[in-house]
Amino acid sequence: MSTLVFFLPFLLMYTVFAVYAERKISAFIQDRYGPMEVGKYGWYQTVADLLKLIQKEDIIPKNANKTLFMLAPIVIFTAIFCGFAILPLTSSWVGSLSQNGVYFLIAIVSLDVVGILMAGWGANSKYSLLGSLRAVAQIISYEIPVTLSVLCVVMISQSLSLQEISYQQSVLINVFPDLESTKNFLFGIKTMAIDVTAWGGFFTWNIFRAPVLIPVAVIYFISTLAESNRAPFDLPEAESELVAGFHTEYSGFRWAIIMLSEYGMMLLVAILGVILFFGSWNTPLPNIGNITLANWTTGQPGTIIGNLWSILWLISKAMLWVMAQMWVRWTYPRLRIDQLMNLSWKYLTPFAIFLIFMSGLWRLLMI
Amino acid sequence: MNWTINMFYFFGLLAVISALGVLFTRNVLYATFFLILSFFSVASIYVLGNASFIGVTQLLIYVGGILILMIFGLMLTTKLSGKVLVTESHNKRMGVILGVVFFSVLSFIIFSANFEVLNKSVEMPKKMIEVIGVDLMSKYLIPFEIAAILLLIALIGAAVISEKRKEIKE
Amino acid sequence: MITVQHFLVIGISLFSIGLSIVVIKKNAILVLLGVELMLNGANVNLIGFSINDPQIQGQIFALFVIVVAAAEAAVALAVVVRMYQYYATSNVDEPNELKG
């Protein structure tokens, strides 16, 4: 139930603030003020924009294929929103406890390609068609490094269930049904025999449990940027060449839905990245002797305080991730299409395959 | 239990109706979107049949991979000049007769056969993926490796076949 | 309760519709779609037969079928694209040079 009760309202709120934050961050990076007129420091700018968008006329081009054109934004949003269904939100509040967890997420998110093709084809405009073809080629190519980097984590943690992966990185590891006697060692190397199970904090995060995952996290970050069509990989909507890519012909509410799903995708990959690499809903503070910071800032699963702490850590880490995405967007120039394909096929994919091999070796150190 | 069977009927009907849609529509692009719907319902049927891993694989490979590839193929092999993409058909009578005969003979066999042994409820393993993973790496290791080689060959073959060559003039 | 027959009926429906598509349609890509539909019909059968099998052999068989279907689709699509480059058509009955 966490999907409908929490993520749907949260996604709407988050998008409003993310658009504002994006403007302010870009303004900060480019040494200007950004929106300042509406409300104090321009706080209400996005709300005003939203009102404008909802009021706008819903234009459907005369020669467009109406069914496909109207269906496309819904397909895109549904595909991405389905991905939220299996994310664990706190130590006791999970969407779906499916065994296939992360596998399902990767599969269902790739379906937004169908919606993009529908939008590009249905609009009957060459900019839309070119934009959608580019978007689809890009998303399909970058799905491979994403999947491979997720596979590395799955090999280290031996599970597809996101909640199990979260508990493995927790100071509460022995609470989870299948992990009663599991121990975490420093850097996962058992022969060093430094037991960090009781330390908790960042020592049990996946990038510390297996430092081989640090380059994997970098690959994941780069390729998810491309998968959510963010700069520097925003070729599908390169405004200097393609007007606005596959959503050129959309206006008003339908355009708002497409925008919402783009920001939703950013949030989804950010939360997934936090779960896979940066300790999910776990606190970064370790226990130091008698000062049990990790226990204080975690709480027992099932209690209100435990839920509040874990939701706080998960969301704040995800927000930092989203901020990094925005920072990259306003710092790097856009790639050319051939450079984009080269990066995916000639660098990220072979490197990710090599890292899978390394993760297998590291796993041997852990058992 | 009742809920499961109703879901099964819904997705089964959806799969068959959208497959019929592929058969009856003349627009090529609509046909592929109907097929996406059909494969999606088939994936749901797999999940209801206690095979969620296969269901997700179906989504990932068929819907996210093969059909998108097909749509790309369609766009590459038809002249995109504003026309609606329609396909012609031939052997109409033959095709329908073949389908109907096939369907009726097989359904006659199915309804006259005795499936009692197969329908006896058995204790299923709790962690299905674990069984699949262990089996793939032990019992079915050789088929698994052969499948990998097959995929590699198909990858190279597809690249070689579709490569641009100079046409030989007579 | 879902029985094996339920799966089999859906399987044969998909299979015979796929067969009709292969026979009727002219466009090569649509013929390919028909073949994929037939493979799916076979897969539904395999899943149906493994619902009460703790060794889930049917599911693993279905997994291999999906892999082979992916390989088949890639090669067949390459052939169709090549055919289009050479004959400038994607209808299966037009390339008839070998017909004496």
Side-chain angles (χ1 to χ4, degrees), chain C residues 10-67:
Chain C
I10 290 176
I12 56 166
S13 326
L14 292 182
F15 190 90
S16 34
I17 294 170
L19 188 65
S20 300
I21 292 174
V22 170
V23 175
I24 289 178
K25 299 287 181 185
K26 267 188 185 176
N27 191 315
I29 306 259
L30 279 182
V31 173
L32 278 181
L33 295 189
V35 174
E36 300 293 338
L37 206 55
M38 286 162 79
L39 284 170
N40 256 270
N43 261 353
V44 172
N45 276 5
L46 291 172
I47 299 294
F49 279 122
S50 75
I51 50 169
N52 286 321
D53 173 18
Q55 293 181 330
I56 47 174
Q57 293 167 357
Q59 292 191 20
I60 289 171
F61 201 143
L63 207 59
F64 284 119
V65 171
I66 292 178
V67 170

Short mmCIF file of all heavy atoms in Angstrom, two decimals, chain C residues 10-67:
data_model
loop_
_atom_site.label_atom_id
_atom_site.label_comp_id
_atom_site.label_asym_id
_atom_site.label_seq_id
_atom_site.Cartn_x
_atom_site.Cartn_y
_atom_site.Cartn_z
N ILE C 10 -5.90 -21.44 -23.28
CA ILE C 10 -5.30 -20.17 -23.70
C ILE C 10 -4.13 -20.43 -24.64
O ILE C 10 -3.95 -19.75 -25.66
CB ILE C 10 -4.88 -19.37 -22.47
CG1 ILE C 10 -6.13 -18.89 -21.75
CG2 ILE C 10 -4.03 -18.19 -22.86
CD1 ILE C 10 -5.84 -18.18 -20.48
N GLY C 11 -3.34 -21.46 -24.30
CA GLY C 11 -2.19 -21.79 -25.15
C GLY C 11 -2.60 -22.10 -26.57
O GLY C 11 -2.07 -21.53 -27.52
N ILE C 12 -3.61 -22.96 -26.75
CA ILE C 12 -3.97 -23.31 -28.13
C ILE C 12 -4.64 -22.14 -28.83
O ILE C 12 -4.48 -21.98 -30.04
CB ILE C 12 -4.84 -24.59 -28.24
CG1 ILE C 12 -6.08 -24.44 -27.39
CG2 ILE C 12 -4.06 -25.81 -27.93
CD1 ILE C 12 -7.10 -25.50 -27.73
N SER C 13 -5.38 -21.30 -28.08
CA SER C 13 -5.98 -20.14 -28.77
C SER C 13 -4.88 -19.26 -29.34
O SER C 13 -4.92 -18.87 -30.51
CB SER C 13 -6.84 -19.32 -27.82
OG SER C 13 -7.46 -20.10 -26.88
N LEU C 14 -3.87 -18.95 -28.48
CA LEU C 14 -2.80 -18.08 -28.97
C LEU C 14 -2.08 -18.75 -30.14
O LEU C 14 -1.75 -18.11 -31.14
CB LEU C 14 -1.81 -17.78 -27.85
CG LEU C 14 -2.32 -16.93 -26.71
CD1 LEU C 14 -1.24 -16.67 -25.70
CD2 LEU C 14 -2.85 -15.61 -27.23
N PHE C 15 -1.87 -20.06 -30.02
CA PHE C 15 -1.13 -20.76 -31.08
C PHE C 15 -1.88 -20.72 -32.40
O PHE C 15 -1.31 -20.40 -33.45
CB PHE C 15 -0.88 -22.21 -30.66
CG PHE C 15 0.07 -22.93 -31.54
CD1 PHE C 15 1.42 -22.92 -31.27
CD2 PHE C 15 -0.38 -23.61 -32.67
CE1 PHE C 15 2.31 -23.57 -32.09
CE2 PHE C 15 0.50 -24.26 -33.50
CZ PHE C 15 1.85 -24.23 -33.21
N SER C 16 -3.20 -20.98 -32.36
CA SER C 16 -3.90 -21.03 -33.66
C SER C 16 -4.09 -19.62 -34.24
O SER C 16 -4.05 -19.46 -35.46
CB SER C 16 -5.23 -21.77 -33.54
OG SER C 16 -5.82 -21.58 -32.30
N ILE C 17 -4.24 -18.61 -33.35
CA ILE C 17 -4.30 -17.25 -33.90
C ILE C 17 -2.97 -16.90 -34.56
O ILE C 17 -2.92 -16.33 -35.67
CB ILE C 17 -4.64 -16.24 -32.78
CG1 ILE C 17 -6.05 -16.48 -32.27
CG2 ILE C 17 -4.53 -14.82 -33.30
CD1 ILE C 17 -6.37 -15.71 -31.03
N GLY C 18 -1.86 -17.30 -33.90
CA GLY C 18 -0.54 -17.04 -34.48
C GLY C 18 -0.38 -17.73 -35.82
O GLY C 18 0.14 -17.16 -36.78
N LEU C 19 -0.88 -18.97 -35.90
CA LEU C 19 -0.79 -19.72 -37.16
C LEU C 19 -1.54 -18.98 -38.27
O LEU C 19 -1.04 -18.81 -39.39
CB LEU C 19 -1.38 -21.11 -36.93
CG LEU C 19 -1.22 -22.12 -38.06
CD1 LEU C 19 0.25 -22.42 -38.23
CD2 LEU C 19 -1.97 -23.38 -37.74
N SER C 20 -2.76 -18.51 -37.94
CA SER C 20 -3.53 -17.78 -38.94
C SER C 20 -2.79 -16.52 -39.39
O SER C 20 -2.76 -16.20 -40.58
CB SER C 20 -4.89 -17.38 -38.38
OG SER C 20 -5.60 -18.51 -38.01
N ILE C 21 -2.17 -15.83 -38.44
CA ILE C 21 -1.45 -14.60 -38.81
C ILE C 21 -0.31 -14.94 -39.77
O ILE C 21 -0.11 -14.26 -40.78
CB ILE C 21 -0.90 -13.91 -37.55
CG1 ILE C 21 -2.05 -13.36 -36.70
CG2 ILE C 21 0.04 -12.77 -37.91
CD1 ILE C 21 -1.61 -12.80 -35.40
N VAL C 22 0.42 -16.02 -39.47
CA VAL C 22 1.54 -16.39 -40.33
C VAL C 22 1.05 -16.67 -41.74
O VAL C 22 1.68 -16.28 -42.73
CB VAL C 22 2.28 -17.61 -39.75
CG1 VAL C 22 3.28 -18.16 -40.73
CG2 VAL C 22 2.97 -17.24 -38.47
N VAL C 23 -0.12 -17.35 -41.86
CA VAL C 23 -0.60 -17.71 -43.19
C VAL C 23 -1.18 -16.49 -43.91
O VAL C 23 -0.96 -16.30 -45.10
CB VAL C 23 -1.65 -18.83 -43.08
CG1 VAL C 23 -2.25 -19.12 -44.43
CG2 VAL C 23 -1.01 -20.07 -42.51
N ILE C 24 -1.88 -15.62 -43.18
CA ILE C 24 -2.66 -14.58 -43.84
C ILE C 24 -1.84 -13.34 -44.19
O ILE C 24 -1.93 -12.82 -45.31
CB ILE C 24 -3.87 -14.20 -42.95
CG1 ILE C 24 -4.88 -15.33 -42.95
CG2 ILE C 24 -4.52 -12.94 -43.47
CD1 ILE C 24 -6.06 -15.08 -42.06
N LYS C 25 -1.03 -12.84 -43.27
CA LYS C 25 -0.42 -11.53 -43.48
C LYS C 25 0.69 -11.58 -44.53
O LYS C 25 1.40 -12.57 -44.68
CB LYS C 25 0.16 -11.02 -42.16
CG LYS C 25 -0.87 -10.84 -41.08
CD LYS C 25 -1.75 -9.65 -41.32
CE LYS C 25 -2.75 -9.50 -40.19
NZ LYS C 25 -3.71 -8.45 -40.39
N LYS C 26 0.82 -10.45 -45.24
CA LYS C 26 1.85 -10.38 -46.28
C LYS C 26 3.15 -9.77 -45.75
O LYS C 26 4.23 -10.13 -46.18
CB LYS C 26 1.35 -9.53 -47.45
CG LYS C 26 0.71 -10.34 -48.55
CD LYS C 26 0.43 -9.44 -49.71
CE LYS C 26 -0.33 -10.17 -50.79
NZ LYS C 26 -0.69 -9.29 -51.89
N ASN C 27 3.01 -8.79 -44.85
CA ASN C 27 4.19 -8.09 -44.36
C ASN C 27 5.07 -9.04 -43.53
O ASN C 27 4.60 -9.73 -42.64
CB ASN C 27 3.72 -6.92 -43.48
CG ASN C 27 4.82 -5.98 -43.14
OD1 ASN C 27 5.91 -6.42 -42.78
ND2 ASN C 27 4.58 -4.70 -43.26
N ALA C 28 6.38 -9.04 -43.85
CA ALA C 28 7.28 -10.00 -43.21
C ALA C 28 7.33 -9.81 -41.70
O ALA C 28 7.40 -10.78 -40.95
CB ALA C 28 8.68 -9.85 -43.80
N ILE C 29 7.28 -8.55 -41.25
CA ILE C 29 7.35 -8.31 -39.81
C ILE C 29 6.13 -8.90 -39.11
O ILE C 29 6.23 -9.47 -38.03
CB ILE C 29 7.44 -6.80 -39.54
CG1 ILE C 29 8.59 -6.19 -40.32
CG2 ILE C 29 7.57 -6.53 -38.06
CD1 ILE C 29 9.80 -5.93 -39.55
N LEU C 30 4.98 -8.78 -39.75
CA LEU C 30 3.78 -9.33 -39.13
C LEU C 30 3.84 -10.84 -39.07
O LEU C 30 3.36 -11.46 -38.12
CB LEU C 30 2.53 -8.86 -39.87
CG LEU C 30 2.09 -7.46 -39.47
CD1 LEU C 30 0.83 -7.09 -40.20
CD2 LEU C 30 1.86 -7.40 -37.98
N VAL C 31 4.46 -11.45 -40.10
CA VAL C 31 4.65 -12.90 -40.06
C VAL C 31 5.50 -13.27 -38.84
O VAL C 31 5.20 -14.21 -38.10
CB VAL C 31 5.31 -13.39 -41.36
CG1 VAL C 31 5.66 -14.85 -41.26
CG2 VAL C 31 4.37 -13.17 -42.52
N LEU C 32 6.54 -12.46 -38.61
CA LEU C 32 7.38 -12.70 -37.43
C LEU C 32 6.58 -12.57 -36.14
O LEU C 32 6.74 -13.37 -35.22
CB LEU C 32 8.52 -11.69 -37.39
CG LEU C 32 9.72 -12.00 -38.25
CD1 LEU C 32 10.76 -10.92 -38.08
CD2 LEU C 32 10.30 -13.31 -37.82
N LEU C 33 5.70 -11.57 -36.09
CA LEU C 33 4.87 -11.40 -34.90
C LEU C 33 4.02 -12.64 -34.67
O LEU C 33 3.83 -13.09 -33.54
CB LEU C 33 3.97 -10.17 -35.02
CG LEU C 33 4.62 -8.80 -35.09
CD1 LEU C 33 3.57 -7.72 -34.99
CD2 LEU C 33 5.62 -8.62 -33.99
N GLY C 34 3.50 -13.21 -35.77
CA GLY C 34 2.72 -14.43 -35.65
C GLY C 34 3.54 -15.57 -35.06
O GLY C 34 3.07 -16.31 -34.19
N VAL C 35 4.80 -15.67 -35.52
CA VAL C 35 5.66 -16.73 -34.99
C VAL C 35 5.88 -16.53 -33.49
O VAL C 35 5.82 -17.49 -32.70
CB VAL C 35 7.00 -16.75 -35.75
CG1 VAL C 35 7.95 -17.74 -35.11
CG2 VAL C 35 6.78 -17.11 -37.18
N GLU C 36 6.09 -15.26 -33.09
CA GLU C 36 6.28 -15.00 -31.65
C GLU C 36 5.04 -15.39 -30.86
O GLU C 36 5.14 -15.93 -29.76
CB GLU C 36 6.57 -13.51 -31.41
CG GLU C 36 7.80 -12.98 -32.10
CD GLU C 36 9.07 -13.59 -31.55
OE1 GLU C 36 9.05 -14.08 -30.42
OE2 GLU C 36 10.08 -13.59 -32.28
N LEU C 37 3.87 -15.12 -31.44
CA LEU C 37 2.63 -15.47 -30.75
C LEU C 37 2.51 -16.98 -30.58
O LEU C 37 2.10 -17.47 -29.52
CB LEU C 37 1.44 -14.94 -31.55
CG LEU C 37 0.17 -14.65 -30.76
CD1 LEU C 37 0.45 -13.72 -29.62
CD2 LEU C 37 -0.87 -14.06 -31.67
N MET C 38 2.94 -17.74 -31.62
CA MET C 38 2.89 -19.19 -31.51
C MET C 38 3.84 -19.67 -30.41
O MET C 38 3.49 -20.56 -29.62
CB MET C 38 3.26 -19.83 -32.85
CG MET C 38 2.18 -19.72 -33.89
SD MET C 38 2.81 -19.97 -35.53
CE MET C 38 2.93 -21.73 -35.59
N LEU C 39 5.03 -19.08 -30.35
CA LEU C 39 5.98 -19.47 -29.30
C LEU C 39 5.39 -19.20 -27.92
O LEU C 39 5.55 -19.98 -26.98
CB LEU C 39 7.30 -18.70 -29.46
CG LEU C 39 8.20 -19.20 -30.57
CD1 LEU C 39 9.33 -18.22 -30.78
CD2 LEU C 39 8.76 -20.54 -30.19
N ASN C 40 4.67 -18.07 -27.80
CA ASN C 40 4.05 -17.74 -26.52
C ASN C 40 2.98 -18.75 -26.15
O ASN C 40 2.85 -19.12 -24.98
CB ASN C 40 3.45 -16.35 -26.57
CG ASN C 40 4.29 -15.38 -25.84
OD1 ASN C 40 4.10 -15.18 -24.66
ND2 ASN C 40 5.27 -14.82 -26.51
N GLY C 41 2.21 -19.19 -27.15
CA GLY C 41 1.21 -20.20 -26.88
C GLY C 41 1.85 -21.46 -26.33
O GLY C 41 1.38 -22.04 -25.34
N ALA C 42 2.97 -21.86 -26.93
CA ALA C 42 3.68 -23.04 -26.43
C ALA C 42 4.17 -22.82 -25.01
O ALA C 42 4.07 -23.71 -24.15
CB ALA C 42 4.85 -23.36 -27.35
N ASN C 43 4.66 -21.61 -24.74
CA ASN C 43 5.17 -21.30 -23.40
C ASN C 43 4.08 -21.39 -22.35
O ASN C 43 4.32 -21.86 -21.25
CB ASN C 43 5.74 -19.89 -23.39
CG ASN C 43 7.23 -19.91 -23.51
OD1 ASN C 43 7.82 -20.98 -23.48
ND2 ASN C 43 7.83 -18.76 -23.64
N VAL C 44 2.87 -20.89 -22.70
CA VAL C 44 1.76 -20.96 -21.74
C VAL C 44 1.50 -22.42 -21.38
O VAL C 44 1.28 -22.75 -20.21
CB VAL C 44 0.50 -20.29 -22.32
CG1 VAL C 44 -0.68 -20.52 -21.42
CG2 VAL C 44 0.73 -18.82 -22.48
N ASN C 45 1.57 -23.31 -22.37
CA ASN C 45 1.41 -24.74 -22.09
C ASN C 45 2.44 -25.21 -21.08
O ASN C 45 2.12 -25.91 -20.13
CB ASN C 45 1.60 -25.55 -23.37
CG ASN C 45 0.35 -25.62 -24.16
OD1 ASN C 45 -0.62 -24.99 -23.80
ND2 ASN C 45 0.37 -26.36 -25.24
N LEU C 46 3.70 -24.82 -21.32
CA LEU C 46 4.77 -25.30 -20.44
C LEU C 46 4.54 -24.83 -19.01
O LEU C 46 4.70 -25.61 -18.06
CB LEU C 46 6.12 -24.79 -20.94
CG LEU C 46 6.60 -25.40 -22.24
CD1 LEU C 46 7.83 -24.70 -22.74
CD2 LEU C 46 6.89 -26.87 -22.03
N ILE C 47 4.15 -23.55 -18.86
CA ILE C 47 3.89 -23.04 -17.51
C ILE C 47 2.72 -23.80 -16.89
O ILE C 47 2.74 -24.18 -15.72
CB ILE C 47 3.58 -21.53 -17.55
CG1 ILE C 47 4.76 -20.76 -18.11
CG2 ILE C 47 3.22 -21.02 -16.17
CD1 ILE C 47 5.97 -20.79 -17.24
N GLY C 48 1.69 -24.05 -17.72
CA GLY C 48 0.52 -24.77 -17.22
C GLY C 48 0.89 -26.15 -16.70
O GLY C 48 0.45 -26.56 -15.64
N PHE C 49 1.77 -26.84 -17.43
CA PHE C 49 2.12 -28.18 -16.99
C PHE C 49 3.00 -28.17 -15.75
O PHE C 49 3.13 -29.19 -15.09
CB PHE C 49 2.83 -28.94 -18.12
CG PHE C 49 1.89 -29.52 -19.11
CD1 PHE C 49 1.97 -29.18 -20.44
CD2 PHE C 49 0.90 -30.38 -18.69
CE1 PHE C 49 1.08 -29.71 -21.35
CE2 PHE C 49 0.00 -30.91 -19.60
CZ PHE C 49 0.09 -30.57 -20.93
N SER C 50 3.63 -27.04 -15.44
CA SER C 50 4.51 -27.05 -14.27
C SER C 50 3.86 -26.43 -13.04
O SER C 50 4.55 -26.19 -12.06
CB SER C 50 5.83 -26.35 -14.58
OG SER C 50 5.63 -24.98 -14.61
N ILE C 51 2.53 -26.16 -13.05
CA ILE C 51 1.97 -25.52 -11.86
C ILE C 51 1.98 -26.45 -10.66
O ILE C 51 2.02 -26.00 -9.53
CB ILE C 51 0.53 -24.98 -12.06
CG1 ILE C 51 -0.37 -26.02 -12.66
CG2 ILE C 51 0.51 -23.70 -12.82
CD1 ILE C 51 -1.83 -25.61 -12.62
N ASN C 52 1.94 -27.75 -10.88
CA ASN C 52 1.98 -28.66 -9.73
C ASN C 52 3.23 -29.52 -9.75
O ASN C 52 3.23 -30.65 -9.33
CB ASN C 52 0.74 -29.55 -9.72
CG ASN C 52 -0.47 -28.77 -9.28
OD1 ASN C 52 -0.39 -27.95 -8.39
ND2 ASN C 52 -1.59 -29.01 -9.94
N ASP C 53 4.32 -28.97 -10.26
CA ASP C 53 5.56 -29.73 -10.35
C ASP C 53 6.61 -29.05 -9.48
O ASP C 53 7.08 -27.97 -9.82
CB ASP C 53 6.02 -29.77 -11.82
CG ASP C 53 7.38 -30.39 -11.97
OD1 ASP C 53 7.82 -31.08 -11.03
OD2 ASP C 53 8.01 -30.17 -13.02
N PRO C 54 6.99 -29.64 -8.34
CA PRO C 54 7.95 -28.97 -7.46
C PRO C 54 9.33 -28.80 -8.10
O PRO C 54 10.12 -27.99 -7.63
CB PRO C 54 8.02 -29.87 -6.24
CG PRO C 54 7.18 -31.04 -6.51
CD PRO C 54 6.50 -30.89 -7.81
N GLN C 55 9.62 -29.55 -9.16
CA GLN C 55 10.93 -29.39 -9.79
C GLN C 55 10.91 -28.31 -10.87
O GLN C 55 11.96 -27.99 -11.44
CB GLN C 55 11.36 -30.70 -10.42
CG GLN C 55 11.63 -31.76 -9.37
CD GLN C 55 12.08 -33.04 -9.98
OE1 GLN C 55 11.71 -33.37 -11.11
NE2 GLN C 55 12.91 -33.78 -9.26
N ILE C 56 9.73 -27.76 -11.15
CA ILE C 56 9.50 -26.70 -12.13
C ILE C 56 10.34 -26.85 -13.40
O ILE C 56 10.98 -25.91 -13.86
CB ILE C 56 9.66 -25.30 -11.52
CG1 ILE C 56 10.93 -25.18 -10.70
CG2 ILE C 56 8.48 -24.96 -10.66
CD1 ILE C 56 11.16 -23.75 -10.22
N GLN C 57 10.31 -28.05 -13.98
CA GLN C 57 11.03 -28.24 -15.23
C GLN C 57 10.41 -27.42 -16.35
O GLN C 57 11.11 -26.90 -17.21
CB GLN C 57 11.01 -29.72 -15.61
CG GLN C 57 11.80 -30.57 -14.64
CD GLN C 57 11.52 -32.03 -14.81
OE1 GLN C 57 10.70 -32.42 -15.62
NE2 GLN C 57 12.21 -32.84 -14.05
N GLY C 58 9.07 -27.31 -16.32
CA GLY C 58 8.39 -26.56 -17.38
C GLY C 58 8.83 -25.11 -17.41
O GLY C 58 9.04 -24.53 -18.47
N GLN C 59 9.00 -24.53 -16.21
CA GLN C 59 9.41 -23.12 -16.17
C GLN C 59 10.79 -22.94 -16.77
O GLN C 59 11.05 -21.96 -17.49
CB GLN C 59 9.40 -22.62 -14.73
CG GLN C 59 8.01 -22.54 -14.17
CD GLN C 59 7.99 -21.82 -12.86
OE1 GLN C 59 8.89 -21.07 -12.53
NE2 GLN C 59 6.94 -22.03 -12.10
N ILE C 60 11.69 -23.88 -16.49
CA ILE C 60 13.05 -23.72 -17.03
C ILE C 60 13.04 -23.90 -18.54
O ILE C 60 13.72 -23.16 -19.27
CB ILE C 60 13.99 -24.70 -16.32
CG1 ILE C 60 14.18 -24.20 -14.89
CG2 ILE C 60 15.31 -24.79 -17.01
CD1 ILE C 60 14.89 -25.10 -13.99
N PHE C 61 12.20 -24.84 -19.00
CA PHE C 61 12.04 -25.02 -20.45
C PHE C 61 11.54 -23.71 -21.07
O PHE C 61 12.07 -23.24 -22.10
CB PHE C 61 11.04 -26.15 -20.71
CG PHE C 61 11.16 -26.77 -22.07
CD1 PHE C 61 10.98 -28.13 -22.23
CD2 PHE C 61 11.47 -26.01 -23.18
CE1 PHE C 61 11.08 -28.71 -23.48
CE2 PHE C 61 11.57 -26.58 -24.43
CZ PHE C 61 11.38 -27.94 -24.57
N ALA C 62 10.54 -23.08 -20.40
CA ALA C 62 9.99 -21.83 -20.93
C ALA C 62 11.06 -20.75 -21.00
O ALA C 62 11.12 -19.97 -21.95
CB ALA C 62 8.83 -21.37 -20.06
N LEU C 63 11.95 -20.73 -19.99
CA LEU C 63 13.04 -19.76 -19.98
C LEU C 63 13.91 -19.92 -21.22
O LEU C 63 14.25 -18.95 -21.90
CB LEU C 63 13.86 -19.98 -18.71
CG LEU C 63 14.63 -18.81 -18.14
CD1 LEU C 63 13.65 -17.71 -17.81
CD2 LEU C 63 15.36 -19.25 -16.89
N PHE C 64 14.24 -21.20 -21.55
CA PHE C 64 15.07 -21.43 -22.73
C PHE C 64 14.33 -21.06 -24.00
O PHE C 64 14.94 -20.53 -24.94
CB PHE C 64 15.53 -22.89 -22.77
CG PHE C 64 16.63 -23.18 -21.81
CD1 PHE C 64 16.47 -24.09 -20.79
CD2 PHE C 64 17.83 -22.50 -21.91
CE1 PHE C 64 17.48 -24.33 -19.89
CE2 PHE C 64 18.85 -22.74 -21.02
CZ PHE C 64 18.67 -23.65 -20.00
N VAL C 65 13.01 -21.31 -24.03
CA VAL C 65 12.24 -20.94 -25.22
C VAL C 65 12.32 -19.43 -25.44
O VAL C 65 12.51 -18.96 -26.56
CB VAL C 65 10.77 -21.40 -25.09
CG1 VAL C 65 9.94 -20.81 -26.21
CG2 VAL C 65 10.69 -22.90 -25.12
N ILE C 66 12.22 -18.67 -24.32
CA ILE C 66 12.27 -17.21 -24.46
C ILE C 66 13.63 -16.78 -25.00
O ILE C 66 13.73 -15.91 -25.88
CB ILE C 66 11.97 -16.54 -23.10
CG1 ILE C 66 10.51 -16.78 -22.72
CG2 ILE C 66 12.24 -15.06 -23.16
CD1 ILE C 66 10.13 -16.20 -21.39
N VAL C 67 14.70 -17.42 -24.50
CA VAL C 67 16.05 -17.06 -24.97
C VAL C 67 16.18 -17.33 -26.47
O VAL C 67 16.65 -16.48 -27.24
CB VAL C 67 17.11 -17.85 -24.18
CG1 VAL C 67 18.46 -17.69 -24.82
CG2 VAL C 67 17.14 -17.39 -22.75
#
